[in-house]
Amino acid sequence: MDLSDCSKGFKKCLEFLGRFRETGFVDAVISAKEEAAKLGIEPIFPQKRLRKHKRVFSYESSEEVHTSPEETFKRDVFLTLVDNVSNSLEKRSIALKSHEKIWGFLSNIAQLPQKEALKQKCVDLENNLYDSENGVSDINANELYHELQHVGSILNDKKNVTPKEVLNLIKKSNSKDMFTNLWVALRILLTIPVTVASAERSFSKLKLIKTYLRSTMAQERLNSLAILSIENEIAKELDFEEILKTFAYNKSRRTYFSL
C-alpha cells in the first residue's frame, strides 16, 4: 500500500467511525448478547449504585440523573471509546496529510495539475528531498516538471494510472535515462512505509526470549537475541562456522613467552 491508498483508506476509516458512533451501539449490543449467550453469561448491564448527596437546604434540587444501565454504558464506555479512537486517528493523520500534500500530485500522473501549480509542486518536492548536510537534492524541480509533461507518451492515453504502473512502464520501455528525476521520485514514494510494525514485532518476540530461565540477561544480550529472532530468515543464511571462527579468534586469550 502506498501513501495515496493509505490516505483514501484513512478517510474511509474516519467516516466509518463517525457512522458507527451514531448507529453502531445497537449492533454492538446485539453482538455482545449473542456472544454472552454462547458463553452462558446473563446479558445484562451492571447497575451502578447511585450516591445520595445530602441537601443543606430543602429547596435544592437533586444532582442525580436517573438513567438506565444501558444508557449509562453507552455514555461512559461506548461513546468515550469511539471518541478516543477517532481523536487518536486524527492526530496520526497529521503526518499523513503533510506527506499527501507533498507527494499527492504523483498519485495519478495522468491527471496532473495546471502548469503553475505543477511547477510549485515540483519545487516543494525538491525542497522536501533536500539534504542540508551535503547541499544537494535527490531531484531537480525544473527537470521533473519537464519529465512530467512528456511522460504521457508512454502512458497510452490512460486516464487513471498508479505510481507503480508508471514505474513499471518506465522500466519496460527502458526510459530511465529520459525520466531520471521521475524514476527517483516514484521509487522514493513507493518505498515510504505507510506503517511501522517494529514495536509490535519486538514485543511479540520478547516473550519468547525473555523467559524465567533468562531473567538475569543483560540489555545488550537481549537486544542481540531479539534482532536474531526478528530477522531469523537472514540469520539462517549466515555461515555459522565462519562466525564461530571469527568469534574464537577475537576472544582467544593467547600468551606469548619469549625464550
Side-chain angles (χ1 to χ4, degrees), residues 228 231-243:
L228 287 173
E231 306 294 348
N232 60 85
E233 295 181 358
I234 299 176
K236 291 177 181 178
E237 298 176 358
L238 298 176
D239 187 356
F240 286 95
E241 292 185 2
E242 187 65 29
I243 294 174

Side-chain angles (χ1 to χ4, degrees), residues 190-242:
L190 293 174
T191 52
I192 296 176
V194 174
T195 182
V196 179
S198 58
E200 290 82 354
R201 291 168 60 195
S202 300
F203 280 109
S204 64
K205 291 295 183 181
L206 281 177
K207 65 181 181 181
L208 302 176
I209 299 170
K210 189 68 179 291
T211 63
Y212 71 96
L213 297 175
R214 294 171 172 171
S215 59
T216 58
M217 187 189 310
Q219 186 66 38
E220 183 178 358
R221 176 175 169 80
L222 178 62
N223 292 340
S224 300
L225 289 175
I227 293 174
L228 287 173
S229 181
I230 293 171
E231 306 294 348
N232 60 85
E233 295 181 358
I234 299 176
K236 291 177 181 178
E237 298 176 358
L238 298 176
D239 187 356
F240 286 95
E241 292 185 2
E242 187 65 29

Side-chain angles (χ1 to χ4, degrees), residues 12-181:
K12 292 181 180 179
C13 182
L14 290 173
E15 291 173 359
F16 165 77
L17 284 174
R19 295 192 302 268
F20 185 73
R21 188 185 189 279
E22 300 298 329
T23 61
F25 182 73
V26 176
D27 295 334
V29 170
I30 295 173
S31 300
K33 288 182 177 180
E34 292 176 353
E35 193 67 27
K38 293 178 183 178
L39 299 174
I41 302 174
E42 188 177 359
I44 58 173
F45 288 93
Q47 179 69 45
K48 185 179 180 181
R49 185 177 179 180
L50 299 176
R51 288 185 178 183
K52 292 184 178 181
H53 299 278
K54 185 177 180 181
R55 291 184 295 174
V56 180
F57 303 100
S58 59
Y59 58 82
E60 290 182 345
S61 62
S62 176
E63 297 180 357
E64 302 168 359
V65 178
H66 298 280
T67 57
S68 65
E70 184 172 342
E71 287 295 326
T72 303
F73 182 86
K74 179 180 180 181
R75 181 192 63 214
D76 297 340
V77 179
F78 178 79
L79 294 179
T80 302
L81 179 62
V82 175
D83 289 340
N84 286 339
V85 173
S86 299
N87 292 334
S88 178
L89 289 177
E90 286 287 354
K91 291 179 181 179
R92 295 187 182 188
S93 66
I94 295 176
L96 184 61
K97 289 179 180 178
S98 63
H99 280 289
E100 181 68 17
K101 183 179 179 181
I102 297 172
W103 295 91
F105 72 104
L106 295 177
S107 60
N108 187 8
I109 296 179
Q111 298 180 359
L112 293 171
Q114 298 296 327
K115 291 184 178 181
E116 294 301 324
L118 181 59
K119 286 182 180 179
Q120 187 59 45
K121 292 287 185 182
C122 293
V123 172
D124 293 339
L125 183 59
E126 180 184 4
N127 295 333
N128 184 257
L129 298 177
Y130 181 77
D131 184 0
S132 57
E133 294 183 0
N134 299 320
V136 294
S137 180
D138 293 326
I139 64 168
N140 181 282
N142 188 44
E143 293 178 2
L144 177 62
Y145 169 75
H146 290 292
E147 291 174 12
L148 289 170
Q149 294 292 316
H150 296 88
V151 74
S153 59
I154 64 172
L155 298 182
N156 300 323
D157 298 327
K158 292 183 178 180
K159 294 184 178 180
N160 293 304
V161 58
T162 63
K164 187 176 181 180
E165 291 176 342
V166 176
L167 201 65
N168 288 330
L169 288 172
I170 294 175
K171 183 178 180 181
K172 290 179 181 179
S173 60
N174 295 321
S175 305
K176 297 179 186 178
D177 296 334
M178 186 182 299
F179 303 103
T180 306
N181 294 272

